[in-house]
Amino acid sequence: MFESEKKEMLECALKLDRYGLIALSGGNVSVRAGDDLFIVTPSGMVYDEMVPEDMLVVDGKGNVVEGMRKASVDTAALLYIFHHMPKVNAVIHTHQPYATGLGLVMDEIPCNLSTMANAVEGPCHVANYGNPGSLSMGAQAVESIGDQLAVVLKHHGVIAVGRDLRQAMFSCVYLEEAAKTVSVALSTGRPMAEMTQVQIDEAVSVFHRYGQHTLDEQDAEEAARN
């Protein structure tokens, strides 16, 4: 089942690895696949050694419906996010170093770059620590993410969500780009220039029209936001 979705998930994971947001077997990728069905990456496997058939289809309680591997240890947390955020169809968990590092010294990564406004849709909050591989990780993410598309898990990594894998991946990548830029600004010891809420809102709106979308896709995206 879901061969194209599994292939897309693996391609996404390999891109995250290439962009330096995960390493070896760290993090995970998951999607909503249908009526109370979800696909998650396997536990402890190096991404460039995976094939699409290594992905696991699980039900809403985490029971494996299809696949021979052990599902990600974070499956319970991922399902918590899906259950409590019904508009979310993709969840990506990374260990990206710059955003995670800022989460050790900040309660919120400010939205001071247009690309972060584009892809994260505002500042990135920092969630309280939740044990990896536990339900609390998902609960802390849901509690702290707000209306944005990413949240930093203190002492751990990042959770990004989206209506699809593309949106969640863009959120991860551009959050890390912004975190690097904020780190450079902080290193100068000088105050950072801030974007206004009007500027942030305009950047969010522009990104909703970004890329090659059909009219049907644009209508669907608009409906999902309302």
Side-chain angles (χ1 to χ4, degrees):
M1 295 188 291
F2 308 115
E3 286 79 6
S4 62
E5 288 87 347
K6 293 174 182 178
K7 181 180 178 182
E8 183 184 13
M9 287 173 61
L10 181 53
E11 290 172 350
C12 175
L14 292 173
K15 287 179 181 177
L16 295 172
D17 191 1
R18 188 165 72 244
Y19 289 130
L21 306 187
I22 56 176
L24 296 176
S25 61
N28 43 71
V29 178
S30 56
V31 299
R32 191 189 302 273
D35 186 17
D36 204 37
L37 290 177
F38 307 86
I39 312 173
V40 298
T41 45
S43 175
M45 289 190 69
V46 178
Y47 293 101
D48 61 9
E49 297 175 356
M50 286 185 198
V51 294
E53 291 72 25
D54 289 321
M55 308 297 164
L56 288 299
V57 180
V58 301
D59 64 20
K61 295 182 179 179
N63 300 308
V64 175
V65 175
E66 180 182 83
M68 301 299 293
R69 302 293 187 180
K70 176 183 175 183
S72 169
V73 295
D74 293 331
T75 296
L78 301 172
L79 292 177
Y80 184 95
I81 296 170
F82 282 120
H83 292 328
H84 288 80
M85 302 183 74
K87 292 185 178 181
V88 164
N89 293 317
V91 178
I92 296 175
H93 169 44
T94 72
H95 296 159
Q96 52 198 80
Y98 280 87
T100 306
L102 288 180
L104 297 176
V105 296
M106 308 176 81
D107 294 326
E108 178 180 284
I109 300 176
C111 186
N112 288 341
L113 290 103
S114 61
T115 48
M116 183 166 172
N118 291 159
V120 181
E121 300 195 349
C124 184
H125 308 302
V126 178
N128 291 329
Y129 180 72
N131 289 326
S134 72
L135 195 67
S136 65
M137 171 182 151
Q140 292 293 347
V142 170
E143 181 179 342
S144 301
I145 197 168
D147 295 326
Q148 280 66 60
L149 298 177
V151 61
V152 175
L153 306 173
K154 190 179 287 291
H155 307 292
H156 188 173
V158 166
I159 289 283
V161 301
R163 62 179 174 271
D164 53 30
L165 273 179
R166 180 181 184 274
Q167 187 178 46
M169 183 181 68
F170 271 53
S171 181
C172 289
V173 172
Y174 284 125
L175 171 61
E176 190 70 354
E177 181 181 88
K180 291 177 183 178
T181 307
V182 168
S183 297
V184 170
L186 290 173
S187 72
T188 69
R190 301 177 64 180
M192 281 191 293
E194 297 183 0
M195 292 181 71
T196 67
Q197 189 60 51
V198 169
Q199 290 171 330
I200 292 172
D201 292 343
E202 288 175 347
V204 170
S205 177
V206 166
F207 204 63
H208 286 161
R209 305 190 301 273
Y210 179 78
Q212 305 300 314
H213 303 290
T214 66
L215 291 177
D216 287 344
E217 288 172 335
Q218 291 175 4
D219 290 343
E221 291 173 9
E222 183 64 30
R225 292 194 295 272
N226 295 330

